């Protein structure tokens, strides 16, 4: 299936989490067309949403909050009946106000988040997260020698032996742990302070990204700390925190990955 033409769609999210795609009247295809969501990097993984008439000259598709959409990035296309080709969907207006400052019940077992966004080459895509349980990052404060953060646990409760682990991928022996404490917020609020010096206690020949995880209690499964409960599809380049010197010219700073996972970045000396 190849994309041979384009169609434009407006997107809106309601408070219940339903995502609506409205195709613009001037470019809407035939009434039996379907909206396709194709998962990037997963051949054959496609979700088909029927397009129905919502107003004269407009077609609408709805992705309900209960739909099973695996985590990843999904590209949007439209396929007309009897055609093997597809239309690339371009982003129109995006009303994402319902996603701002979402606060699900902390007892929610599975957190789902879906954010429509424009790709770098101008297409419409959907970023989806599915986390069970989930640790949502909140306020982050940068001190002279480390970082402090607050957050909320969903689908898990902090108990005895709760901690935060900083892990360096590819080097399982390099793990640093700090205590997790209650933040004073209702529900599953947590807080921690992570000094930078222990992370630099080893060679830093290139950039290092230390991934941050919550261990809710002794022996419990680790929960990735991320920020996904709003309308920001990628924090990697938009949420930038100041760096602090650690040792021998190494700099450290909190950061987010392109998937909105919280990390600490160590940067070696320049020159």
């Amino acid at each position: 299936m190849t994309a041979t033409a384009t169609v434009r769609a407006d997107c809106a999210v309601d408070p219940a989490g339903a995502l609506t795609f409205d195709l613009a009247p001037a470019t809407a295809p035939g009434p039996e067309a379907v909206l396709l969501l194709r998962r990037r990097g997963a051949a054959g993984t496609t979700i088909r949403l029927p397009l129905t008439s919502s107003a004269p000259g407009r077609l609408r598709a709805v992705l309900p909050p209960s739909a099973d959409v695996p985590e990843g990035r999904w590209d949007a296309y439209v396929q007309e009946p009897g055609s093997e080709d597809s239309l690339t969907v371009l982003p129109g207006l995006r009303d994402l106000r319902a996603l701002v400052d979402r606060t699900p019940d902390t007892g929610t077992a599975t957190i789902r988040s879906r954010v429509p966004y424009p790709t770098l080459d101008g297409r419409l895509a959907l970023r989806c997260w599915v986390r069970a349980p989930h640790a949502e990052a909140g306020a982050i404060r940068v001190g002279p020698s480390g970082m402090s953060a607050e957050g909320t646990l969903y689908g898990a409760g902090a108990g005895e032996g709760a901690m935060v682990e900083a892990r360096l991928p590819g080097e399982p022996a390099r793990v640093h742990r700090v205590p997790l404490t209650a933040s004073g917020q209702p529900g599953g609020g947590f807080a921690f302070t992570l000094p930078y010096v222990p992370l630099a206690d080893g060679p830093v020949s290139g950039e290092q990204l230390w991934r941050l995880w919550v261990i809710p209690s002794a022996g419990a499964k680790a929960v990735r700390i991320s920020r996904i409960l709003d309308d920001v599809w990628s924090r990697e380049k938009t949420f930038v925190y100041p760096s602090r010197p650690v040792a021998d010219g190494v700099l450290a700073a909190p950061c987010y990955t392109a998937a909105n996972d919280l990390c600490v970045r160590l940067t070696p000396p320049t020159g």
Side-chain angles (χ1 to χ4, degrees), residues 1-3 36 38 46 48 77-79 83-87:
M1 183 184 298
T2 59
L36 303 179
R38 296 206 295 245
T46 302
R48 302 171 67 87
Y77 300 91
V78 167
Q79 185 177 19
S83 174
E84 292 297 322
D85 294 330
S86 60
L87 309 177

Side-chain angles (χ1 to χ4, degrees), residues 207-253:
E207 181 180 274
Q208 295 180 351
L209 281 181
W210 289 75
R211 314 278 173 151
L212 302 185
W213 303 75
V214 167
I215 311 298
S217 59
K221 183 179 178 180
V223 181
R224 192 72 175 87
I225 304 177
S226 308
R227 182 81 179 263
I228 61 175
L229 291 177
D230 57 21
D231 61 341
V232 181
W233 62 91
S234 179
R235 292 180 142 75
E236 183 180 29
K237 297 181 180 179
T238 56
F239 280 63
V240 179
Y241 298 92
S243 298
R244 295 289 186 260
V246 183
D248 300 325
V250 173
L251 298 176

Side-chain angles (χ1 to χ4, degrees), residues 134-140 149-152 190 225-228 256 262:
H134 169 57
E136 177 75 0
I140 295 174
E150 297 181 353
T152 305
F190 66 83
I225 304 177
S226 308
R227 182 81 179 263
I228 61 175
Y256 285 99
L262 184 60

